[in-house]
Amino acid sequence: MKPQFVTLEGVEGAGKSTQKSALCHWLRARGVPFIETREPGGTPLAEAIRGLLLHTDEDPPTALTELLLMFAARAQHLETRIQTALAAGTWVICDRFTDATFAYQGGGRGCPWAWIETLESLVQGTVRPDTTIIFDVPVDVGLSRAAARSEADRIEREDAVFFERVREAYLRRAEADPERFIVVDGTPPETQVTEHLLATLATRWAL
Ligand code: T5A
């Protein structure tokens, strides 16, 4: 099997980071070489852009600025880290990628999907994730988990209606491409979600 590019998605507090750790532990035990990364971020420059995106309150980015900054960070991350890893035969496990842009800047902010598709082609060429796992939880469940964990950043302070649109956009994307997407119910306890996820992936990858 070629090295896989795997992305994890979902609304705030859906359990991506928790399940990413479990997935990485499982891959390590099977001797699969991988890097673990995230978006926005994943390189020093892209992490600096993440800081601007999530923690700029005085002069908050407009929807278009936010969209362009997401893709600026992605261009750096993709070329200097993701593609390098894949070319070396290393899997990439990434917490969020372009589906988050369709969900947040598209669904949430209302940026036309055509803009996002144009930037996706420009920045990524033909590179797309091989597998995208969406952890689906009701918005109120995700937000209350996120609130219990840490202080809200700029995007987390959006209202529930914004995150309903984000969730709906994620599910719409999954429905349009069932080959790539796996939708996992993120509401059961962590260990149950992990069990279901790993059983699904073991079959998919024959690992
Ligand atoms: N963004 C990102 C965009 O707008 N556009 C883009 O293109 C991209 C790439 C940063 C922000 O950037 C935005 C989206 C985001 O607003 P992020 O760092 O991934 O993205 O931030 P969050 O989604 O806020 O990450 P979270 O850490 O909040 O969510 P996770 O990773 O889904 O949740 P996790 O695993 O940290 O769990 C949160 C809490 O819930 C508990 C955990 O222990 C933790 O305390 N938990 C559970 N509790 C009960 N049952 C379960 N099954 C649980 N699973 C986890």
Side-chain angles (χ1 to χ4, degrees):
M1 187 176 20
K2 73 175 175 95
Q4 299 290 292
F5 179 20
V6 182
T7 57
L8 296 89
E9 300 280 359
V11 295
E12 319 296 304
K16 293 172 287 87
S17 311
T18 305
Q19 298 303 329
K20 184 171 77 160
S21 301
L23 171 59
C24 289
H25 180 78
W26 184 79
L27 289 173
R28 203 171 288 120
R30 277 151 189 77
V32 175
F34 67 88
I35 61 161
E36 206 178 328
T37 188
R38 68 172 181 180
E39 288 213 346
T43 79
L45 177 60
E47 288 289 332
I49 297 173
R50 178 189 178 93
L52 293 175
L53 278 161
L54 300 184
H55 303 293
T56 301
D57 290 324
E58 199 183 324
D59 180 20
T62 66
L64 179 59
T65 306
E66 189 177 89
L67 173 65
L68 294 171
L69 284 173
M70 289 294 174
F71 270 105
R74 183 161 300 135
Q76 184 72 12
H77 186 210
L78 189 64
E79 190 171 334
T80 67
R81 191 132 186 255
I82 295 177
Q83 286 185 296
T84 313
L86 293 171
T90 304
W91 291 34
V92 174
I93 312 300
C94 189
D95 195 336
R96 298 195 188 277
F97 194 64
T98 304
D99 294 298
T101 313
F102 281 98
Y104 282 77
Q105 283 65 53
R109 300 270 187 242
C111 293
W113 280 34
W115 293 3
I116 305 174
E117 283 164 349
T118 300
L119 289 165
E120 182 183 40
S121 298
L122 173 71
V123 169
Q124 296 171 221
T126 57
V127 178
R128 300 289 180 276
D130 298 296
T131 297
T132 297
I133 305 150
I134 295 182
F135 296 96
D136 184 48
V137 294
V139 165
D140 57 337
V141 171
L143 290 179
S144 68
R145 283 184 193 166
R149 189 217 41 209
S150 61
E151 200 183 320
D153 61 37
R154 186 181 61 82
I155 294 179
E156 281 170 346
R157 287 197 295 272
E158 292 295 335
D159 61 19
V161 177
F162 173 92
F163 291 108
E164 291 292 355
R165 292 198 299 270
V166 170
R167 184 185 184 199
E168 192 270 331
Y170 269 134
L171 294 177
R172 193 151 37 108
R173 283 189 69 72
E175 203 177 302
D177 189 357
E179 281 285 300
R180 172 161 73 92
F181 286 91
I182 298 170
V183 180
V184 173
D185 179 5
T187 48
E190 286 175 26
T191 49
Q192 275 182 39
V193 177
T194 304
E195 234 170 73
H196 174 70
L197 172 69
L198 298 182
T200 306
L201 294 177
T203 307
R204 184 179 178 92
W205 294 327
L207 280 179

